[in-house]
């Protein structure tokens, strides 16, 4: 398998002395679906920025695609979506924002226009394209930000809370877009309910910014003690069935749970 | 920060933010909207230069009429244009107001022992109209042309990359600056109740100013990351919106050229 991201001893301390991530080693292979989970303030966003080459690590380094440690050299292949859409949308209209990445990263115009149209349609932004982003609602901004990162079709998606403030309908749309992405996906989130639907592998960030676990989604999501230690709770379905079934049998998603209940009733 | 001070800060930030906010008018159908962005950019910049050059109130007023005409043709409501561009000239009028007394000349009125001179009033008036029309012209440009099309036009006109960079980044940061200010004022107003006196207001304002500077710097850093994440460290290269340059485009350029030449001639002929 090809390694897309390889981090060694990655550490970042903010200027005020807060060490947000410490000594992180991790390797992500092409095509993997990974969720990075952790409590608020554990360092997920800092890890995402460091992996995306947007903050300089105070120690350690990241190698991209086995070829370079300079993120700018591979910018068009890295889709880094920041947590706060207010930081991500800075153009004067939504259309300009979605086109910004493709234009800067050299995508041919016709291709970019087709992509903008299809993403706008998918994410319900068609009527908002000529509006200034700051006049959108929270969920609309989030959808516009997701469209902006998908627009230039990067190989690797590093998405920090892509579902923030989005309603159930569009949450499902975003989930499908992420699932259908043919490349590598890493999602950073503090809420575990959506994890089983998008990731096979889960990295757990401890409160001190170190990696507490790196295992399959099932192993992590059913490990109540581990999750409690880092300030998290298993997803709702797991909590409902915990103790009733073996860990290896516990349903992780709602459809799985429904199946289980139908069998039992 | 409630009370008089809070309200005025809110009004000013609202107006300034509106000045930098893109509106849907850019896609409405109208004269300027149908021009090639390079043509609009050159013509309007030339007109703005022309009005700033002049030293004659009459000429400045002619430019004002021209601006109003262009707005009319481009389906930009005059009230909208005025609202967007009124703050800057009003503020600059305040700055040059002392000239009404300081400039020597025939007395116009005497108020509380100070003499307001005719030359002084004329100066303040001319200054305000010039700044006002200049800002109105630039607003008109931004209102009728998407900002990314303007940046693309700058690149196509072979303006040096560093300069385009400065324009693109400054515009976006000014925009964020007022967005941040507006948010801060809103957050404050939602947490203070009742009317506070002017003195409390001032103390509050000083504290807010400190927070504001920190927040703006921080926001600037985070938005900088948002730009870099999408290739912002490469030279600005938005998709162009050039059109076929036709008769109307040449007419606009000619109009601008004539206006600038006339303004220059009137200024420099003794
Ligand atoms: N600009 C900054 N300066 C100083 N400390 C910071 C800064 N940004 C974040 N931190 C601190 O670094 C730590 C990690 O923050 P980070 O944003 O990475 O957490 P997170 O896991 O993404 O949290 P959340 O789930 O709330 O998004 C926190 O203790 C936070 O207070
Ligand atoms: Mg975060």
């Amino acid at each position: 398998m090809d390694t897309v991201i390889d981090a060694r001893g990655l550490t970042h301390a903010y200027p005020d002395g807060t060490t947000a991530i410490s000594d992180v080693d991790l390797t992500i292979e092409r095509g993997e679906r990974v969720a990075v989970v952790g409590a608020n303030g554990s360092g997920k966003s800092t890890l995402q920025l460091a992996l995306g080459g947007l903050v300089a690590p105070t120690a350690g380094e990241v190698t991209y695609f086995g070829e370079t440690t300079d993120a700018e050299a591979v910018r068009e292949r890295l889709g880094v979506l920041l947590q706060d859409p207010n930081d991500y949308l800075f153009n004067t209209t939504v259309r300009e924002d979605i086109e910004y990445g493709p234009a800067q990263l050299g995508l041919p115009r016709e291709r970019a226009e087709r992509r903008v149209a299809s993403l706008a349609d998918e994410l319900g932004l068609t009527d908002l394209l000529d509006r200034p982003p700051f006049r959108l609602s929270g969920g609309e901004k989030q959808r516009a930000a997701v469209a902006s990162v998908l627009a230039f079709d990067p190989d690797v998606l590093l998405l920090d809370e892509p579902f923030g403030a989005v309603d159930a309908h569009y949450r499902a749309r975003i989930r499908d877009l992420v699932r259908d992405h043919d490349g590598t996906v890493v999602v950073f989130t503090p809420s575990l309910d959506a994890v089983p639907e998008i990731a096979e592998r889960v990295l757990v960030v401890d409160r001190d910014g170190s990696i507490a676990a790196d295992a399959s989604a099932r192993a992590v999501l059913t490990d109540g003690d581990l999750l409690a230690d880092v300030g998290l709770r298993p997803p709702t379905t797991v909590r409902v069935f915990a103790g009733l079934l073996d860990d290896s049998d516990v349903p992780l998603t709602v459809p799985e749970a429904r199946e289980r209940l139908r069998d039992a009733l | 920060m409630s009370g008089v001070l809070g309200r005025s800060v809110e009004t000013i930030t609202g107006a300034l933010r509106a000045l930098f906010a893109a509106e849907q008018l850019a896609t409405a159908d109208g004269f300027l909207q149908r021009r090639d962005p390079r043509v609009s950019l050159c013509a309007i910049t030339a007109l703005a230069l022309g009005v700033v050059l002049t030293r004659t109130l009459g000429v400045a007023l002619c430019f004002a009429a021209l601006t109003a005409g262009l707005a009319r043709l481009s389906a930009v409501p005059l009230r909208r244009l005025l609202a967007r561009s009124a703050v800057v000239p009003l503020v600059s009028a305040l700055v040059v107001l002392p000239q009404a007394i300081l400039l020597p000349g025939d007395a116009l009125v005497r108020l509380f022992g100070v003499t307001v001179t005719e030359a002084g009033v004329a100066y303040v008036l001319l200054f305000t109209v010039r700044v006002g029309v200049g800002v109105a012209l630039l607003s008109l440009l931004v209102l009728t042309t998407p900002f990314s099309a303007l940046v693309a036009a700058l690149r196509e006109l072979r303006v040096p990359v560093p300069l385009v960079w400065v324009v693109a980044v400054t515009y976006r940061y000014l925009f964020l600056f007022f967005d941040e200010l507006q948010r801060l004022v809103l957050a404050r107003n939602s947490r203070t109740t009742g009317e506070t006196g002017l003195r409390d207001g001032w103390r509050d304002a000083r504290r807010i100013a400190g927070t504001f500077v920190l927040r703006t710097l921080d926001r600037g850093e985070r938005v900088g990351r948002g730009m870099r994440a999408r290739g912002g460290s490469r030279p600005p290269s938005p998709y162009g919106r050039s059109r076929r340059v036709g008769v109307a485009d040449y007419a606009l350029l000619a109009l601008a050229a004539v206006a600038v030449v006339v303004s220059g001639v009137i200024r420099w002929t003794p």
Side-chain angles (χ1 to χ4, degrees):
Chain A
M1 267 206 273
D2 298 336
T3 301
V4 292
I5 287 181
D6 184 50
R8 290 293 133 219
L10 203 60
T11 301
H12 183 79
Y14 284 101
D16 67 356
T18 317
T19 302
I21 50 170
S22 62
D23 202 18
V24 172
D25 288 326
L26 68 88
T27 305
I28 292 167
E29 307 288 345
R30 179 177 309 287
E32 269 196 299
R33 309 280 140 154
V34 184
V36 177
V37 303
N40 286 145
S42 56
K44 299 178 298 296
S45 298
T46 311
L47 178 59
Q48 186 231 19
L49 293 175
L51 290 178
L54 296 175
V55 299
T58 32
E61 65 177 13
V62 185
T63 308
Y64 302 95
F65 308 102
E67 59 191 48
T68 176
T69 55
D70 176 16
E72 294 309 324
V74 290
R75 198 40 89 197
E76 56 274 20
R77 299 168 73 182
L78 298 177
V80 185
L81 172 64
L82 305 186
Q83 176 166 358
D84 186 346
N86 290 308
D87 299 336
Y88 206 65
L89 306 172
F90 48 81
N91 284 282
T92 45
T93 64
V94 173
R95 184 195 307 279
E96 287 171 294
D97 244 315
I98 305 181
E99 278 182 357
Y100 181 81
Q104 285 300 111
L105 296 166
L107 231 69
R109 179 165 177 174
E110 290 70 40
R111 198 166 136 217
E113 272 171 359
R114 274 202 307 277
R115 232 174 131 69
V116 171
S118 87
L119 283 167
D121 181 45
E122 197 86 36
L123 292 169
L125 296 167
T126 308
D127 294 333
L128 305 176
L129 284 176
D130 294 313
R131 296 256 302 268
F134 68 84
R135 296 242 175 86
L136 304 183
S137 77
E140 288 166 348
K141 281 184 195 169
Q142 182 65 39
R143 277 146 51 195
V146 169
S148 304
V149 69
L150 293 177
F152 61 95
D153 205 7
D155 292 344
V156 185
L157 293 176
L158 298 171
L159 310 176
D160 198 354
E161 293 207 42
F163 304 113
V166 173
D167 64 34
H169 175 73
Y170 285 109
R171 183 177 277 261
R173 293 274 182 96
I174 293 176
R175 180 201 61 204
D176 291 344
L177 281 170
V178 169
R179 260 204 310 225
D180 295 345
H181 175 75
D182 63 344
T184 311
V185 178
V186 187
V187 172
F188 300 74
T189 173
S191 99
L192 303 193
D193 280 323
V195 168
E197 298 187 319
I198 45 178
E200 291 124 26
R201 172 181 168 199
V202 178
L203 282 159
V204 183
V205 184
D206 208 340
R207 287 202 189 84
D208 63 0
S210 62
I211 301 287
D214 176 356
S216 72
R218 174 167 297 279
V220 170
L221 298 178
T222 55
D223 191 339
D225 294 338
L226 164 72
L227 294 176
D229 274 350
V230 300
L232 295 171
R233 269 198 324 189
T236 316
T237 47
V238 174
R239 277 185 286 136
V240 168
F241 287 88
L244 302 174
L245 294 166
D246 260 7
D247 278 355
S248 59
D249 240 13
V250 166
L252 298 180
T253 62
V254 172
E256 277 173 41
R258 194 182 309 118
E259 196 76 5
R260 271 286 125 93
L261 285 172
R262 189 180 309 122
D263 293 350
L265 292 174
Chain B
M1 193 167 53
S2 52
V4 187
L5 204 62
R7 267 197 304 279
S8 34
V9 169
E10 219 177 316
T11 318
I12 294 179
T13 51
L16 286 176
R17 196 165 89 144
L19 178 62
F20 293 101
E23 305 278 345
Q24 282 165 306
L25 290 173
T27 51
D29 203 24
F31 179 73
L32 284 174
Q33 288 90 335
R34 267 182 271 126
R35 299 287 68 76
D36 181 287
R38 290 168 300 177
V39 171
S40 308
L41 183 69
C42 291
I44 300 232
T45 313
L47 286 174
L49 224 63
V51 73
V52 170
L53 272 182
T54 190
R55 293 284 179 273
T56 321
L57 188 59
V59 174
L61 290 175
C62 286
F63 274 93
L66 203 61
T67 309
L70 280 175
R72 186 77 202 263
L73 285 173
S74 311
V76 175
L78 272 183
R79 277 183 48 197
R80 180 87 144 263
L81 190 62
L82 267 177
R84 280 177 62 108
S85 35
V87 172
V88 176
L90 288 184
V91 170
S92 61
L94 278 181
V95 175
V96 295
L97 204 56
Q99 297 291 344
I101 316 162
L102 295 177
L103 276 188
D106 297 337
L108 196 65
V109 278
R110 259 175 234 283
L111 282 174
F112 313 111
V114 293
T115 312
V116 177
T117 63
E118 245 172 61
V121 169
Y123 178 82
V124 171
L125 206 61
L126 175 63
F127 189 88
T128 310
V129 170
R130 263 171 26 198
V131 172
V133 176
V135 171
L137 279 164
L138 295 181
S139 303
L140 192 58
L141 182 62
V142 176
L143 274 171
T144 54
T145 321
F147 185 65
S148 61
L150 289 176
V151 174
L154 286 171
R155 289 296 303 276
E156 281 162 14
L157 290 167
R158 304 198 186 271
V159 172
V161 171
L163 197 61
V164 181
W165 220 313
V166 169
V167 171
V169 169
T170 309
Y171 185 85
R172 292 204 182 99
Y173 275 101
L174 278 174
F175 184 70
L176 289 177
F177 182 86
F178 293 115
D179 188 40
E180 198 62 41
L181 191 57
Q182 179 110 344
R183 284 213 253 170
L184 195 64
V185 170
L186 268 181
R188 293 294 301 187
N189 285 355
S190 68
R191 271 179 283 153
T192 41
T193 46
E195 297 278 307
T196 46
L198 202 56
R199 239 184 62 217
D200 285 344
W202 269 120
R203 215 185 31 227
D204 224 15
R206 277 205 308 274
R207 217 178 27 231
I208 287 184
T211 319
F212 174 64
V213 171
L214 288 181
R215 272 177 59 155
T216 313
L217 289 175
D218 186 58
R219 179 101 189 271
E221 189 182 355
R222 286 182 287 129
V223 172
R225 282 183 202 134
M227 292 186 187
R228 264 197 297 145
R230 292 189 276 155
S233 46
R234 303 183 186 179
S237 54
Y239 297 122
R241 293 269 181 274
S242 333
R243 298 152 177 260
R244 234 193 40 224
V245 178
V247 181
D249 295 278
Y250 289 116
L252 178 61
L253 285 173
L255 176 75
V258 168
V260 173
V261 169
V262 170
S263 165
V265 167
I266 293 181
R267 169 158 180 199
W268 278 295
T269 40

